[in-house]
Amino acid sequence: MLELKRIVIADDSFTARMVIRRCLEMIGLEDAEIVEAANGKEALTKVKQSPTDLLLTDLNMPVMDGDTLIKWVKASPKLFALPVIVITSAGNPAREKSLLESGAAVVIQKPLSPAKLTESLKIIEQGGTKDV
Amino acid sequence: MYERLDQSMVEAVADTFENLAFMEAVPAASAEKPAAISSPVAASILILEPVVGDISLTLPRQLAMQVAETIYNLAHDEITAEMIRDIVAEFLNTFGGKFLNEFLEPGQMYSLGTPEQGEVASALCEEFVRTWYFVAEGMEFTVTLTGEEFGDASGR
């Protein structure tokens, strides 16, 4: 399994952040440092502050949305390799394709579950991209 | 006539409650319309694509409190009104997306608005309104869908 020491979660809903945090803990990542951000801009600041191993993000957020966050991350030479998982309730195959093309590793349809998260991390470990 | 619509909504709501709150949510057994929900908390969300409509969720405050205690792992008196509002919105957003994903043709694009607080008095459609009654933790709650094209689509 991937070694994930620091994980940043970006979602404007603290319920969603808690659900993601709980899923991370349930799949054995309870020792990882989990950092929460309420929008894309805050998440970008946090991934720049300290080396981060994984970014999980919602799409619809105030201030900076998930699409823009991914573009900023992938445009940064320092952050380019950071794996990004998008967790969304939006169903748009064209948008999902575009997210994967713009650098997201995996797009997960809500509701998130430990099984979906585990599958996503396996995909990242194998270097692939996919909708889950 | 509305079998696929019903099945999609029941699956979406049940899956959301199971994954987010570890709770079983099942359709209410009674064929009669249940009594009004006491001390309700509600939210609604617009369906923007591929058809226009909205979905609303109305829960008894006590059930929302139980969900909050499970998700946040907090005591009853530590749960704030903001947490309750956020939970109702997130549940609605999650099962709304899953419902459309289940109901629409595979790969069909859909889009939801942002959840808003409060009960729906839909100005969008008065011709097709369907309400589902569920039970979780022994408490009834409702989900209502409006949007006339759902009535048409269900009959195809």
Side-chain angles (χ1 to χ4, degrees):
Chain A
M1 192 156 170
L2 289 168
E3 191 180 3
L4 302 173
K5 290 181 179 167
R6 187 173 191 268
I7 301 167
V8 173
I9 301 169
D11 200 306
D12 56 324
S13 161
F14 45 76
T15 301
R17 296 199 301 270
M18 286 300 291
V19 168
I20 295 168
R21 179 184 281 273
R22 191 183 63 201
C23 282
L24 289 166
E25 290 169 357
M26 286 172 73
I27 64 168
L29 292 168
E30 63 273 14
D31 293 332
E33 180 193 358
I34 299 173
V35 180
E36 295 185 20
N39 60 61
K41 190 179 174 188
E42 209 178 298
L44 192 59
T45 303
K46 291 187 173 172
V47 295
K48 283 179 175 174
Q49 272 171 355
S50 187
T52 302
D53 302 303
L54 180 67
L55 171 62
L56 297 119
T57 183
D58 185 21
L59 290 179
N60 297 321
M61 295 182 285
V63 186
M64 181 192 282
D65 63 21
D67 301 81
T68 310
L69 171 62
I70 293 168
K71 283 177 189 159
W72 275 87
V73 166
K74 295 301 165 182
S76 162
K78 285 186 179 174
L79 302 175
F80 179 79
L82 173 63
V84 180
I85 295 176
V86 174
I87 302 169
T88 180
S89 60
N92 182 332
R95 194 174 185 202
E96 283 165 18
K97 186 167 177 270
S98 138
L99 284 163
L100 295 174
E101 284 171 356
S102 67
V106 182
V107 179
I108 298 178
Q109 288 292 318
K110 288 183 179 181
L112 181 65
S113 66
K116 284 182 184 175
L117 199 51
T118 301
E119 186 186 345
S120 302
L121 293 178
K122 278 184 187 164
I123 291 164
I124 290 172
E125 195 169 22
Q126 290 161 5
T129 60
K130 201 183 172 185
D131 302 345
V132 174
Chain B
M1 183 176 180
Y2 301 120
E3 191 177 321
R4 197 160 66 88
L5 193 72
D6 293 344
Q7 189 181 352
S8 301
M9 187 60 84
V10 168
E11 280 183 18
V13 171
D15 196 39
T16 298
F17 270 74
E18 185 183 343
N19 281 295
L20 269 56
F22 307 125
M23 284 180 184
E24 189 181 33
V26 294
S30 171
E32 291 180 15
K33 187 178 174 181
I37 292 171
S38 64
S39 188
V41 286
S44 64
I45 193 166
L46 285 175
I47 300 166
L48 307 171
E49 292 180 88
V51 296
V52 178
D54 59 48
I55 307 172
S56 65
L57 168 66
T58 306
L59 296 172
R61 182 167 296 277
Q62 193 186 342
L63 177 57
M65 288 293 287
Q66 284 194 26
V67 170
E69 286 170 40
T70 303
I71 290 180
Y72 298 127
N73 197 22
L74 291 174
H76 191 85
D77 57 3
E78 293 175 300
I79 306 294
T80 64
E82 190 185 357
M83 288 175 181
I84 296 291
R85 285 195 294 272
D86 193 74
I87 277 176
V88 176
E90 183 60 20
F91 270 58
L92 179 61
N93 187 44
T94 300
F95 78 71
K98 186 165 174 63
F99 161 70
L100 291 172
N101 201 36
E102 298 281 340
F103 179 68
L104 298 170
E105 298 298 330
Q108 190 169 355
M109 186 171 83
Y110 58 83
S111 172
L112 292 169
T114 304
E116 292 181 48
Q117 302 303 314
E119 295 232 42
V120 167
S122 178
L124 294 171
C125 170
E126 294 177 347
E127 293 183 11
F128 182 82
V129 179
R130 191 155 182 85
T131 298
W132 291 267
Y133 300 91
F134 291 91
V135 178
E137 303 294 297
M139 289 172 270
E140 287 187 342
F141 66 95
T142 62
V143 173
T144 299
L145 172 73
T146 66
E148 59 188 278
E149 288 167 271
F150 284 104
D152 301 338
S154 298
R156 69 182 173 223

